[in-house]
């Protein structure tokens, strides 16, 4: 009897032949081969081949073979118990690995046992499932051993744990990398059998060398037509230094360039040239905010063609300009030359347990990873993040570039000290020869600091803003933005996260157009904008005057980057003011206090590059850099016990457990009523939910519950809340939550 791994729909005895069956021996062999190729990038080919050969050992069981040939056989490979049919098959190979190799076999056991359900904790998870006295697992293995080829069961040697990159500290990442190789190989071979058209659709991306040629041609054209200004000449120098430094050895780099200095394209120039010199396989560009991902992907798309840039984040739209069948597939495993993604996608994948998240990890080997706005790395997860970046650079052939105007002190010897369990980055090389000199030459603003003992009223700030013809004010909270906006004259623009993404994009586009028109003398109207910090997140605007509520030093620097960005005047003005109240307790308050501490002891330029190391040292000093115990959970005990699932559940860069999304009827988004109607009628299909992301506003769960009680929203599908009251969404302020006094005026008060 031929043993079967998979059956196509209709293949289980319905098509009169065996063309719908995928042979088990062939599947194990091909998964072992593919996984071995993937793992060669970090020296684990033999371990990975064995994992591939044994991962479906349980499918040799008679029960599975009977089920896979049944009319429902096309679902037999999906683990679980359906209508009394036992389809489990992953425990057999896992237990076999332990019985063959003892404790070293647990490496293989994690991979094989998790290749459908994900990596599990050892304690309270696999230790029970793979215990010698577990009758179900024992029966699964014994039945498989009877039918499986003897030579298959005898293959391989015990994994040599001395070759685990990074020792105990690196064991969890090594296991996760091995897991990535196995699940990607399994998915790809299964896909090739089940749906050959999907497999074919993955091909066709250009080589990095071809993208580099396109980039060089584009930059030559840009430089040729750019006006000969001091700012553009400095941008040219930054670009040249990036290309020169790209010849250096792979490792950890920083790129410290003031806002407006051209760091986005210059960092890409470094990445492409470094990849060419050192044979790197891809460039992964990671960004903290979705809005900057979209902006950056759009810039790269104009250079390389949108179809050649994989944009991977939760809000990437499913239209032809953003996503193709090929790019959708590439999002699964990042098998593409240029990926633009979010920090959430990158780092939550690096600490994930689910197969879908881990699948892409092996493709980070021999890559160039650019971390834009590196100062945004979340402090409460900073220790595990720094540890994994060190491991990627030391052992997996990755080059990491920390790209920012306000370089955090991630390699600071005054703060990071391994003896005190605070480990910084190893030997970071700065790309810019003299960041301090570059800052002085690119200085385009004068910063006016407040009197530290005086807090301004919102009325005082509004009066100052009304005296300006063109000004931007940035405040800390959404509530502060509403308060200040209400004191301003009609026509003042507003930006906050209570506006849906489509609404914010429309307002930002209006701001940019009106700034352009004012510069060119076509618009004499005053332009005043009240915004939260979201406008600091890579939004390229240039105001002659910027007001910034006191905050962390990096936030003040980012606000200054929205002032006189192109050097339109000799000096722009940045006014820092003390708002009526301090930032809310938590990280924002800690950043504010750290900034106050360093500025009060400093009599030099407020945004001097050398001040940022002091600021970040002070900021990190008061924060637990591993607040969720991720390092503890991922450090193996003597028997290689690791709590993979617990660590993955705790490593959440966005804590959304107390949050919910409301889909609003924003008139500026074409077809929104039809889309919401389809959601209510057909349910949350993937493409539909991604389109609706553009009209979603995130608020606290208690806010949604009160809106439900009032009838302002309806839960049309589980967890899907849709605006019902037309007055709930204001055309300027966005969603009117219960903290917003405008609710009373709109007749929506509780």
């Amino acid at each position: 009897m031929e043993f079967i791994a998979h059956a196509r729909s209709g293949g289980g005895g319905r098509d009169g032949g065996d063309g719908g069956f995928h042979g088990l021996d062939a599947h194990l062999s091909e998964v072992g081969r593919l996984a071995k190729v993937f793992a060669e990038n970090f020296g684990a080919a033999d371990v990975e081949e064995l994992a591939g050969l044994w991962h479906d050992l349980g499918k040799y069981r008679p029960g599975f073979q009977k089920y896979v040939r049944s009319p429902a056989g096309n679902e037999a490979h999906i683990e679980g118990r359906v209508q009394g049919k036992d389809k489990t098959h992953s425990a057999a190979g896992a237990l076999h690995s332990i019985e063959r190799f003892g404790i070293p076999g647990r490496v293989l056991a994690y991979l094989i046992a998790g290749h459908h359900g994900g990596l599990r904790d050892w304690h309270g998870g696999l230790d029970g499932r793979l215990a010698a006295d577990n009758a179900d697992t024992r029966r699964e293995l014994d039945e498989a051993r009877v039918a499986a080829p003897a030579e298959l069961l005898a293959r391989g040697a015990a994994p040599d744990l001395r070759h685990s990159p990074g020792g105990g500290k690196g064991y969890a990442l090594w296991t996760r990398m091995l897991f990535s190789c196995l699940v990607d190989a399994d998915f790809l071979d299964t896909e090739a059998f089940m749906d050959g058209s999907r497999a074919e659709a993955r091909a066709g991306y250009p080589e990095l060398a071809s993208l580099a040629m396109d980039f060089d041609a584009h930059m030559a054209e840009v430089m040729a037509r750019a006006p000969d200004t001091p700012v553009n000449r400095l941008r040219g120098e930054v670009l040249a230094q990036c290309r020169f430094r790209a010849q250096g050895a792979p490792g950890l780099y920083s790129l410290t360039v003031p806002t407006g200095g051209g760091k986005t394209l210059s960092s890409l120039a470094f990445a492409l040239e470094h990849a060419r010199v050192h044979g790197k396989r891809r460039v992964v560009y990671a960004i903290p905010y979705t809005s900057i991902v979209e902006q950056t992907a759009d810039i790269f798309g104009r250079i390389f063609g949108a179809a050649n840039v994989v944009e991977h984040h939760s809000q990437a739209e499913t239209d032809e300009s953003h996503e193709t069948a090929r790019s959708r597939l590439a999002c699964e495993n990042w098998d593409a030359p240029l990926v633009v993604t979010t920090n959430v996608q990158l780092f939550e994948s690096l600490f994930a347990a689910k197969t879908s998240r881990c699948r892409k990890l092996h493709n980070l080997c021999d890559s160039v990873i650019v971390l834009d706005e590196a100062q945004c790395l979340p402090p409460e997860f900073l220790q595990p993040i720094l540890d994994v970046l060190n491991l990627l650079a030391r052992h997996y052939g990755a080059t990491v570039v920390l790209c920012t105007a306000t370089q955090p002190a991630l390699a600071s010897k005054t703060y990071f000290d391994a003896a005190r369990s605070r480990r910084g980055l190893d030997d970071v090389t700065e790309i810019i020869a003299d960041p301090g000199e570059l800052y002085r030459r690119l200085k385009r603003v004068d910063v006016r600091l407040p009197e530290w003992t005086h807090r301004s009223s919102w009325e005082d700030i509004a009066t100052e803003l009304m005296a300006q013809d063109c000004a931007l004010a940035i405040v800390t909270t959404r509530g502060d933005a509403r308060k200040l906006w209400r004191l301003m004259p009609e026509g003042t623009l507003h930006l906050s996260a209570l506006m849906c993404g489509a609404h914010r994009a429309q307002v930002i586009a209006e701001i940019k157009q009106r700034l352009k028109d004012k510069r060119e003398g076509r618009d004499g109207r005053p332009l005043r904008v009240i915004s939260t910090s979201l406008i600091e997140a890579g939004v390229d605007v240039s105001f002659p005057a910027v007001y910034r509520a006191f905050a962390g030093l990096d936030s003040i620097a980012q606000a200054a980057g929205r002032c006189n960005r192109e050097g339109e005047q000799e000096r722009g003005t940045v006014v820092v003011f003390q708002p009526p109240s301090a930032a809310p307790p938590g990280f924002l308050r800690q950043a504010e206090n750290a900034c106050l501490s360093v500025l009060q002891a400093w009599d030099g330029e407020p945004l001097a590059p050398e001040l940022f190391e002091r600021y970040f040292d002070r900021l990190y000093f008061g924060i637990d850099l591993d607040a969720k115990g991720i390092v503890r959970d991922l450090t193996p005990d003597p028997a290689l016990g690791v709590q993979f699932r617990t660590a993955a559940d705790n490593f959440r860069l966005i804590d959304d457990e107390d949050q919910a999304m409301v889909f609003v009827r924003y008139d500026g988004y074409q077809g929104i009523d039809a889309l919401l109607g389809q959601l209510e009628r057909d349910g949350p299909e993937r493409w539909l939910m991604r389109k609706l992301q553009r009209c979603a506003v995130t608020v606290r769960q208690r806010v949604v519950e009160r809106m439900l009680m009032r009838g302002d929203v309806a839960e049309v599908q589980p967890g899907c809340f849709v605006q019902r009251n037309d007055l709930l969404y204001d055309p300027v302020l966005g969603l009117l939550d219960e903290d917003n006094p405008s609710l009373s005026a709109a007749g929506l008060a509780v």
Side-chain angles (χ1 to χ4, degrees):
M1 180 182 72
E2 180 185 7
F3 291 96
I4 303 302
H6 309 104
R8 290 196 195 97
S9 181
R14 282 207 282 258
D15 63 356
D18 60 2
F21 293 136
H22 189 190
L24 180 55
D25 293 344
H27 176 59
L28 297 180
S29 177
E30 181 60 11
V31 172
R33 185 193 69 80
L34 274 176
K36 179 179 181 180
V37 170
F38 296 156
E40 284 173 350
N41 293 307
F42 54 97
D46 291 342
V47 176
E48 200 58 72
E49 182 181 29
L50 199 54
L53 290 172
W54 288 353
H55 80 285
D56 274 353
L57 198 61
K59 289 184 178 180
Y60 281 103
R61 299 166 59 211
F64 180 89
Q65 289 301 310
K66 179 180 179 181
Y67 190 32
V68 79
R69 288 171 164 81
S70 73
N74 62 303
E75 295 183 350
H77 65 286
I78 303 171
E79 281 211 316
R81 296 176 186 272
V82 179
Q83 295 178 346
K85 299 289 186 179
D86 185 357
K87 300 189 295 178
T88 59
H89 59 266
S90 61
L95 183 57
H96 179 68
S97 301
I98 293 173
E99 293 188 351
R100 275 287 313 275
F101 303 132
I103 287 178
R106 290 187 179 181
V107 177
L108 292 165
Y110 280 118
L111 317 183
I112 295 170
H115 80 271
H116 281 287
L119 291 168
R120 298 176 64 181
D121 291 345
W122 182 261
H123 300 291
L126 282 184
D127 60 346
R129 187 183 181 199
L130 301 180
D133 59 355
N134 186 310
D136 289 339
T137 303
R138 167 54 54 194
R139 182 172 59 255
E140 181 179 329
L141 176 57
D142 289 346
E143 290 178 359
R145 279 175 168 168
V146 169
E151 61 271 20
L152 175 65
L153 297 170
R155 288 284 296 270
D160 189 344
L161 300 182
R162 294 173 300 176
H163 295 163
S164 168
K169 293 294 184 185
Y171 174 76
L173 179 61
W174 183 58
T175 303
R176 208 178 279 106
M177 281 287 187
L178 292 168
F179 184 62
S180 168
C181 295
L182 175 62
V183 296
D184 195 26
D186 188 26
F187 274 121
L188 290 173
D189 187 56
T190 303
E191 175 185 272
F193 168 75
M194 302 291 279
D195 186 354
S197 62
R198 272 176 65 95
E200 292 170 5
R202 293 181 180 276
Y205 280 106
E207 297 291 330
L208 267 181
S210 175
L211 296 186
M213 292 174 62
D214 292 341
F215 179 80
D216 291 343
H218 172 81
M219 293 308 298
E221 182 180 343
V222 168
M223 301 297 284
R225 69 169 185 262
D228 185 18
T229 65
V231 170
N232 282 334
R233 287 196 293 273
L234 284 171
R235 288 170 177 163
E237 291 179 23
V238 170
L239 178 65
Q241 289 194 54
C242 284
R243 284 175 162 158
F244 174 75
R245 286 284 191 173
Q247 315 298 315
L252 297 166
Y253 286 83
S254 59
L255 175 60
T256 309
V257 176
T259 52
K263 61 183 172 62
T264 298
L265 291 178
S266 293
S267 61
L268 181 59
F270 174 94
L272 291 171
E273 179 65 11
H274 190 78
R276 184 190 67 79
V277 171
H278 297 287
K280 301 301 180 188
R281 300 185 299 152
R282 63 185 44 82
V283 173
V284 176
Y285 210 101
I287 300 169
Y289 304 108
T290 300
S291 58
I292 318 181
V293 174
E294 294 171 336
Q295 176 179 285
T296 304
D298 189 50
I299 293 170
F300 293 173
R302 291 198 296 270
I303 299 172
F304 307 114
N308 295 321
V309 179
V310 173
E311 181 183 348
H312 188 196
H313 59 88
S314 62
Q315 295 183 24
E317 290 197 273
T318 53
D319 59 43
E320 291 184 0
S321 66
H322 283 79
E323 186 171 320
T324 64
R326 185 180 65 181
S327 67
R328 243 187 336 266
L329 294 171
C331 285
E332 296 175 351
N333 64 355
W334 288 2
D335 188 10
L338 179 57
V339 178
V340 183
T341 190
T342 59
N343 286 353
V344 170
Q345 288 288 345
L346 174 64
F347 288 113
E348 288 192 2
S349 295
L350 280 163
F351 292 92
K354 293 182 179 179
T355 57
S356 57
R357 275 286 176 91
C358 289
R359 182 178 174 183
K360 63 179 76 76
L361 293 184
H362 71 94
N363 279 325
L364 292 175
C365 298
D366 288 327
S367 66
V368 183
I369 303 169
V370 180
L371 299 177
D372 196 19
E373 305 296 350
Q375 80 281 354
C376 293
L377 293 175
E380 65 272 26
F381 294 108
L382 196 56
Q383 189 60 73
I385 286 174
L386 297 184
D387 287 347
V388 82
L389 292 178
N390 277 329
L391 290 166
L392 287 171
R394 287 180 201 158
H395 304 294
Y396 296 94
T399 287
V400 179
V401 183
L402 303 163
C403 186
T404 178
T406 56
Q407 200 64 243
L410 301 182
S412 168
K413 303 303 181 186
T414 58
Y415 176 76
F416 288 104
D417 181 358
R420 293 182 291 170
S421 296
R422 292 199 292 259
R423 298 171 299 282
L425 292 178
D426 301 333
D427 301 324
V428 179
T429 300
E430 172 58 48
I431 293 172
I432 299 300
D434 189 342
E437 176 63 19
L438 178 63
Y439 169 80
R440 286 184 284 275
R441 293 173 63 196
L442 264 174
K443 179 176 167 62
R444 290 153 292 173
V445 301
D446 291 321
V447 179
R448 191 175 85 201
L449 296 175
E451 296 180 19
W452 301 120
T453 58
H454 172 71
R455 288 194 175 274
S456 300
S457 68
W458 290 123
E459 289 79 6
D460 292 339
I461 300 304
T463 300
E464 283 201 43
L465 288 170
M466 285 187 277
Q468 301 280 352
D469 177 64
C470 186
L472 166 67
I474 304 174
V475 297
T476 302
T477 70
R478 303 184 296 194
D480 289 347
R482 293 191 296 257
K483 290 174 187 175
L484 182 55
W485 179 84
R486 288 193 196 93
L487 297 170
M488 298 295 294
E490 185 177 353
T492 301
L493 300 181
H494 167 275
L495 276 172
S496 87
L498 283 174
M499 301 157 64
C500 67
H503 190 178
R504 295 197 304 266
Q506 185 272 326
V507 173
I508 290 170
E510 180 182 354
I511 292 169
K512 290 181 176 181
Q513 186 60 52
R514 288 182 60 181
L515 284 169
K516 183 175 185 291
D517 290 345
K518 286 188 77 68
R519 285 195 299 269
E520 296 173 359
R522 296 196 301 269
D523 191 342
R525 295 174 296 167
L527 175 59
R528 306 179 185 105
V529 179
I530 312 300
S531 177
T532 60
S533 60
L534 68 83
I535 201 168
E536 297 169 352
V539 180
D540 294 340
V541 293
S542 182
F543 285 81
V546 171
Y547 285 69
R548 187 32 164 122
F550 191 69
L553 190 63
D554 54 329
S555 295
I556 294 172
Q558 290 297 325
R562 314 307 131 198
C563 183
N564 196 28
R565 189 177 183 89
E566 298 297 325
E568 300 95 337
Q569 55 199 118
E570 185 175 347
R571 284 283 195 275
T573 302
V574 175
V575 178
V576 181
F577 63 92
Q578 291 269 37
S581 58
F587 177 69
L588 292 176
R589 178 81 62 84
Q590 291 170 313
E592 200 176 88
N593 291 340
C595 183
L596 180 63
S597 175
V598 296
L599 285 179
Q600 285 182 324
W602 177 259
D603 59 2
E605 168 60 42
L607 299 181
E610 56 268 29
L611 192 58
F612 284 97
E613 182 166 338
R614 300 187 190 186
Y615 165 70
F616 281 108
D617 275 354
R618 184 61 57 90
L619 176 63
Y620 296 154
F621 186 80
I623 295 175
D624 182 353
L625 302 186
D626 186 20
K628 297 298 181 71
I630 306 298
V631 173
R632 176 199 63 223
D633 287 334
L634 294 180
T635 300
D637 63 25
L640 302 185
V642 174
Q643 301 301 91
F644 284 108
R645 185 65 56 87
T646 297
D649 289 345
N650 287 332
F651 193 95
R652 299 170 65 90
L653 298 192
I654 298 176
D655 186 3
D656 56 4
E657 290 186 355
D658 187 37
Q659 295 181 331
M661 281 195 297
V662 176
F663 297 108
V664 300
R665 299 182 185 276
Y666 172 57
D667 291 338
Y669 193 63
Q670 187 174 8
I672 181 59
D673 288 334
L675 291 170
L676 290 174
Q678 191 163 355
L679 171 64
E680 187 166 355
R681 183 177 63 253
D682 301 335
E685 298 181 37
R686 176 181 179 275
W687 70 270
L688 178 62
M689 297 304 291
R690 293 183 71 176
K691 279 188 174 293
L692 286 173
Q693 286 276 357
R694 300 294 291 168
C695 285
V697 177
T698 301
V699 292
R700 293 193 180 278
Q701 188 68 40
R702 62 179 171 82
V703 174
V704 173
E705 290 170 359
R706 291 177 183 178
M707 289 177 177
L708 278 169
M709 291 175 61
R710 297 194 300 257
D712 296 329
V713 301
E715 190 172 12
V716 299
Q717 297 286 343
C720 295
F721 302 95
V722 171
Q723 176 189 348
R724 283 287 191 253
N725 191 320
D726 290 341
L727 299 177
L728 186 65
Y729 194 83
D730 186 88
V732 177
L733 296 176
L735 190 71
L736 302 179
D737 67 23
E738 93 286 2
D739 296 322
N740 190 338
S742 293
L743 284 170
S744 299
L748 300 173
V750 177

